[in-house]
Amino acid sequence: MKKYGIVFAGLAVGLLIILFFIFKSNKSGEGVAQKGQVYFKFAKLPQGIIAKSGSFEVKKEEVLKSPQMNGFEEKRNDLEFVLIYQQFVTRSPKVIKNMYLKSPKVSRSISSLLNQYGVPLKSQTQVHFKSQNIGEGIARVDDKIIFQKDIDRNNFIWASFETELFQYKLAMIDKLLKRKVMSAEAKKLKITNDEFKEEHVYKKLIKKISQSDIQSYMKTYSMEETDFNKKSAHDQLLNLRKNRALDYILEKYLIHFPVKVDLKEPKFSLEKRAEWVPELGSGKKIEISFFGDTRSPMSENLLKELFPLLEKYPQVKFYYRPIFLSSNKLQMTITQAHLCVWGEYPDQFWNFFKQTLGSMEKQTEKRLYKVLDQLKLDVDPIRQCLIKQTMKPAVEYHTNYAHHLGIHLGPVVYIGGEVLHGRIFIKDIKTIIDRQLEKPTAGVWNKDL
């Protein structure tokens, strides 16, 4: 009976895969609507266990022993030094002569590390690593002992590290769990893992990649139009499709959801001044804050992708927080105009904002006023606001607050307690929102964004 059970299991999986590949990728990127399951559920687990799904478990040591964790520990040491230095040396009203730390020496020169995070170096301060003259603290600046609880970690520097580490652990849990589940299924069928993938996943996979998908991929990753890059894009898309297909089969038919995970989600709070921080939506479950400008391509493109995404999530409230270089006079004018409209016509702000995204290099003020006319708004209050620079203090507030957090240029996006920066992809923002809202995304075939 057991033998027939195994054979049946194999035939069932094969049949389901055939049905599944009816959803082959199409130009619109849409497949058959399906009901998924909640992927992760954060919960307390027995000591030593970091994740559990049915009878399968992932031990904490399996995640922590990975080579990448050494890099995280080194980075943690670097960033704790940066935070202590910034808080107790750079911002100290008096000159600090000596700074002692129990921790090992940072990974590179102190000046280059501080410079990376925009923390001024104080040449009068001598730094001593691996010091024992600290008692039970972790550091000492002159005569003041510093404990872990004294460090202000509510900033971008630490939030970005916590996010990176948290997301890495989730990715490792997902990888290890799927490997265990696939190995168990392959063992039932008396085949290897590679044979399982080839026979029960890739064999039925439609391998043709359209030219439009290749062009879209190259545009997303700013790849030059060369034959080599086209071939590379084709191969990457095929690998993505293979990985997506394997994930689908494992999630749809083999893994027990939700996967219980014993991890603390990052939590950080941001200060808000309602009169100076434009907000969109009335959601109470997730707050998203965008730090950036409206003219640079990365910020402009991300904002244009964000607005349609936000329409799908009434549970989200969105905040815009301008940050740009003080030398960017044109952005200063545009940002002051934005904040003037927020103060004078808050109900029309987002219409005005969306229509004034982009370069705006020629006849800037004339173009700003033209948009106001199109929205049937009185131009004069905004003109006077710009002439008097009424919103200059608001711009300075945003700049000072961003610098306080450790943000000097955008785009930077806070999604709840998680932070993305640099080149941000809209699919990553969507993934975080879905996870935080516990949306049923597991076991659903979707074309990659």
Side-chain angles (χ1 to χ4, degrees):
M1 187 70 182
K2 185 177 181 182
K3 178 181 176 182
Y4 289 114
I6 292 172
V7 173
F8 177 79
L11 289 172
V13 171
L15 177 60
L16 289 167
I17 290 170
I18 291 170
L19 292 172
F20 151 63
F21 285 114
I22 293 173
F23 313 158
K24 70 180 216 177
S25 297
N26 54 53
K27 196 169 183 180
S28 69
E30 296 187 12
V32 176
Q34 301 169 75
K35 186 177 181 181
Q37 301 177 79
V38 173
Y39 207 114
F40 290 117
K41 194 87 172 176
F42 295 91
K44 190 69 178 172
L45 293 174
Q47 190 167 357
I49 304 299
I50 198 170
K52 184 176 176 59
S53 170
S55 60
F56 294 95
E57 295 179 342
V58 178
K59 296 179 180 178
K60 286 183 180 178
E61 64 180 29
E62 292 180 270
V63 175
L64 299 179
K65 74 180 181 182
S66 61
Q68 291 90 333
M69 286 303 299
N70 293 330
F72 279 113
E73 287 307 311
E74 183 179 83
K75 190 171 184 179
R76 180 189 295 275
N77 184 60
D78 286 354
L79 294 186
E80 282 197 341
F81 163 74
V82 170
L83 293 184
I84 295 169
Y85 192 100
Q86 176 179 251
Q87 186 176 347
F88 298 101
V89 176
T90 302
R91 293 177 179 168
S92 172
K94 64 177 184 177
V95 174
I96 301 298
K97 294 181 180 179
N98 289 286
M99 176 182 181
Y100 302 91
L101 299 111
K102 275 187 179 176
S103 57
K105 190 175 181 180
V106 291
S107 62
R108 60 181 195 273
S109 72
I110 290 173
S111 59
S112 68
L113 186 62
L114 293 175
N115 184 60
Q116 178 183 346
Y117 294 98
V119 178
L121 175 71
K122 299 292 184 179
S123 58
Q124 309 97 318
T125 305
Q126 297 296 313
V127 179
H128 313 271
F129 294 98
K130 293 184 178 180
S131 175
Q132 302 301 314
N133 189 23
I134 300 172
E136 294 183 1
I138 61 169
R140 180 161 68 89
V141 288
D142 287 345
D143 295 326
K144 180 178 176 62
I145 303 294
I146 310 298
F147 297 90
Q148 281 283 358
K149 63 180 178 62
D150 298 324
I151 304 175
D152 178 13
R153 299 177 192 270
N154 195 44
N155 52 65
F156 166 68
I157 296 171
W158 195 255
S160 60
F161 169 72
E162 284 286 311
T163 299
E164 187 182 359
L165 180 58
F166 173 72
Q167 292 182 354
Y168 169 76
K169 288 179 177 179
L170 283 182
M172 276 299 295
I173 288 167
D174 180 64
K175 179 180 177 180
L176 292 167
L177 178 63
K178 284 178 174 171
R179 186 186 298 164
K180 290 171 187 274
V181 171
M182 182 175 63
S183 295
E185 191 66 18
K187 188 176 180 181
K188 286 181 189 176
L189 300 171
K190 296 184 178 179
I191 57 177
T192 66
N193 287 355
D194 287 340
E195 286 172 335
F196 177 86
K197 288 187 281 189
E198 289 297 333
E199 290 298 317
H200 295 283
V201 182
Y202 304 155
K203 189 175 181 180
K204 303 293 182 181
L205 185 67
I206 294 167
K207 298 179 176 64
K208 181 174 174 57
I209 305 293
S210 71
Q211 287 301 311
S212 61
D213 282 344
I214 291 172
Q215 291 296 327
S216 178
Y217 182 91
M218 292 175 68
K219 182 180 179 181
T220 299
Y221 292 95
S222 304
M223 297 169 70
E224 290 185 23
E225 189 91 5
T226 66
D227 290 340
F228 177 84
N229 283 344
K230 287 179 183 178
K231 175 67 166 57
S232 176
H234 173 277
D235 293 345
Q236 287 295 327
L237 284 167
L238 183 57
N239 284 332
L240 283 170
R241 187 176 292 177
K242 285 182 174 181
N243 292 337
R244 200 164 66 245
L246 179 60
D247 285 345
Y248 175 86
I249 295 302
L250 294 174
E251 292 172 15
K252 185 71 175 177
Y253 308 114
L254 299 174
I255 298 177
H256 293 275
F257 289 106
V259 177
K260 293 181 181 178
V261 176
D262 194 349
L263 280 178
K264 285 185 179 179
E265 298 176 88
K267 292 188 183 299
F268 298 94
S269 58
L270 294 173
E271 175 188 299
K272 303 177 191 69
R273 289 189 61 169
E275 72 274 24
W276 286 347
V277 183
E279 62 181 56
L280 176 65
S282 56
K284 296 181 179 179
K285 289 192 175 181
I286 298 178
E287 292 186 348
I288 295 181
S289 290
F290 176 96
F291 290 82
D293 65 319
T294 60
R295 298 184 63 242
S296 65
M298 280 203 301
S299 285
E300 178 194 352
N301 293 336
L302 184 57
L303 282 166
K304 285 180 176 178
E305 290 180 309
L306 258 173
F307 290 121
L309 181 69
L310 291 170
E311 290 177 6
K312 300 175 182 178
Y313 293 96
Q315 309 94 326
V316 172
K317 180 174 279 192
F318 176 75
Y319 298 92
Y320 172 63
R321 298 169 175 271
I323 176 67
F324 52 91
L325 294 175
S326 58
S327 58
N328 192 338
K329 302 302 181 186
L330 189 52
Q331 183 66 65
M332 173 66 82
T333 299
I334 295 167
T335 299
Q336 286 197 50
H338 285 155
L339 295 174
C340 288
V341 172
W342 174 249
E344 193 72 25
Y345 309 115
D347 291 343
Q348 287 294 322
F349 171 79
W350 291 107
N351 289 329
F352 179 77
F353 184 85
K354 291 173 187 178
Q355 292 184 47
T356 52
L357 285 174
S359 155
M360 302 280 289
E361 284 188 22
K362 296 179 181 178
Q363 297 183 314
T364 304
E365 288 193 36
K366 184 177 180 180
R367 291 170 67 184
L368 291 169
Y369 298 149
K370 184 178 179 180
V371 174
L372 289 169
D373 276 333
Q374 290 170 346
L375 294 172
K376 296 181 170 47
L377 299 174
D378 187 359
V379 173
D380 192 57
I382 307 305
R383 183 184 287 112
Q384 292 302 315
C385 182
L386 283 175
I387 291 171
K388 297 176 182 178
Q389 296 200 20
T390 306
M391 284 298 176
K392 188 176 179 182
V395 176
E396 291 172 349
Y397 159 75
H398 284 288
T399 301
N400 292 338
Y401 183 58
H403 289 176
H404 173 77
L405 291 174
I407 300 171
H408 297 274
L409 277 178
V412 170
V413 181
Y414 276 71
I415 310 158
E418 297 175 60
V419 184
L420 300 178
H421 60 98
R423 181 145 197 189
I424 302 170
F425 296 100
I426 198 72
K427 64 184 178 67
D428 296 327
I429 294 177
K430 183 180 184 304
T431 296
I432 294 173
I433 295 173
D434 286 343
R435 172 166 38 76
Q436 291 186 6
L437 291 176
E438 294 188 345
K439 285 197 70 177
T441 58
V444 177
W445 172 262
N446 282 321
K447 191 177 189 297
D448 287 325
L449 292 171

